Amino acid sequence: MAGILAAIQLREHGHTDVTVFEKGDRVGGTWRENTYPGLACDVPSQLYSYSFAPNPDWSHPYSPGSQIQEYFERVAVERGVIERTRFSDEVVRCEWNDERWEVETAAGHRESFDVVIAATGVLHHPRYPDIAGLASFAGACFHSARGDHAVPIDDARVGVIGTGSTGVQIVSAIRDRVRELHVFQRTAQWVLPMPNDPFGPEQLDRHRDLDYLRATHDRLSELFGKFSNAVIDASSPESEMIAAACLDNLERNVVDPDLRERLRPTYRAACKRLIASPDFYEAMQASATRLVTADIERVEPSGVRTDDGVLHELDVLVLATGFHADWFVRPMEVVGRDGLTIDAFWTPRPLAYLSIGVPGFPNFFMINGPNGPVGNFSLIEVAEYQFAYIAQLVERLANGARAIEPDLDFTESFEAERVAASRNSVWVTGCRSWYLDDRGVPATWPWPFDRFQAEMATPNWDAYKIDGSRDFAF
Ligand code: NAP
């Protein structure tokens, strides 16, 4: 999503010598790699679209993943990204040689560039759970982002470990297909109701009007911004309303009082990423579904043994257990000034100025980099703002600067301010989540969205070290 965006927008800004490196054999990122049943985006489709490429064809307010993948492929074709992309050519190393970046791929291709934009995603590297005996399971076992469609699930006994956004979507999608569905829930979730009836013919007709679509995008952007701000600020009245809507969903839609209590979260709403689902509770009450809340003790060849001694016999085990959210550009080896590697600089944890630049790594800019707005924000919108900012750095380079990197002191004081602000956020109110770093500090943007928009509008040039001029070839 972010790489396609960057390639299109660089050209719009007059930079024609652009190469896109893609390790896969087609574009799509998250939407290429995740193909699990029920895959969808819980950000409204009209907002989860590039602002410059509105899509009248979304079938639902929250459209399925396959449509999102088709959308990105179509935009990439229409906007000339494909012909500038080297597919199946994974970048393994980028090294700054004091002038330019030397980029090397696994296939042995080497090329140098003035600027590298890393659009390598956030939730990308599967996190496999550390459960004893996992490898001994005799049936099919895979991570949600490595779905194996050759494995039959119809009429099978399926276990799903994890009830994050992914697990919830899978459970809802397969509950009527399987013989038994064992849902291993370690922590109950706050679940917002999310009605998602398909658009009718009249609505689809209105979407043909591009002005209407653009106005819808802007309206949703404003609404979603308010929603995301409310999510962050646990003391806001809107945050109370979100919690009330989730509780109402639970009370009204889960009939059995015992099941209701086991599905009831016991921490603050939105401490973990909020789940939005039209039918998770319905799926949890389907005849095939069994909610398992006992702790997993180990996996055995025939199933999952919980600490109450019960063996849950399974044919298929799905690990919806999330991602290593702190890897970012790694395992790519990035070597900046004086041999400094990004891995070393990011030990024990990633640091970036405004999530875009890293001190010691000139002309290296990230989209959706460390500590930026994630969670309930629209990542596509975030990426557009970040690219608009990066474009100004690149412009400065095109106009004679040789190298631009954030100043270390500036970056550290920005980080100190971010960490201090995150102490007031909902994410530290006592839950486990992928937002929290090794110190328990949320690795995300802790301020309202309008501050992010304002920061992205114009770089504060005082925060940058800018080396003198040279001829610049784009
Ligand atoms: P996740 O939110 O990190 O959830 C992982 C789940 O696995 C949690 O329920 C966790 O339990 C459980 N788990 C992990 N290790 C376990 C273990 N050893 N034993 C038992 N349970 C274990 O991952 P995700 O669901 O893949 O979602 C990641 C993010 O992707 C989301 O937060 C969201 O930002 C994004 N996403 C978005 C959409 C969308 O529609 N926009 C859809 C899917 C994903 P605990 O809660 O107890 O830790």
Side-chain angles (χ1 to χ4, degrees), residues 31 34 36 39-43 48 123 127-131 143-144 161-169 184-189 267 272-276 296 319-323 374-376 432-435:
W31 305 102
N34 286 275
Y36 59 77
L39 176 71
C41 185
D42 60 13
V43 172
Y48 198 82
L123 299 162
R127 181 186 285 281
Y128 289 86
D130 185 14
I131 300 175
H143 187 274
S144 56
I161 301 183
T163 49
S165 304
T166 302
V168 161
Q169 289 181 344
F184 296 91
Q185 170 192 281
R186 191 164 66 177
T187 312
Q189 292 281 7
Y267 52 91
K272 297 157 98 61
R273 186 184 191 272
L274 270 176
I275 306 290
I296 296 174
L319 309 172
T321 45
F323 298 87
V374 286
N376 287 90
R432 168 179 41 210
S433 80
W434 64 263
Y435 298 149

Side-chain angles (χ1 to χ4, degrees), residues 3-16:
I4 296 168
L5 165 74
I8 294 169
Q9 295 277 294
L10 280 167
R11 190 142 83 175
E12 301 268 306
H13 284 77
H15 307 303
T16 51

Side-chain angles (χ1 to χ4, degrees), residues 4 6 24 26 111 167 241 272 312 357 449:
I4 296 168
R26 43 188 201 135
E111 200 170 340
M241 282 163 64
K272 297 157 98 61
H312 306 267
F449 200 62

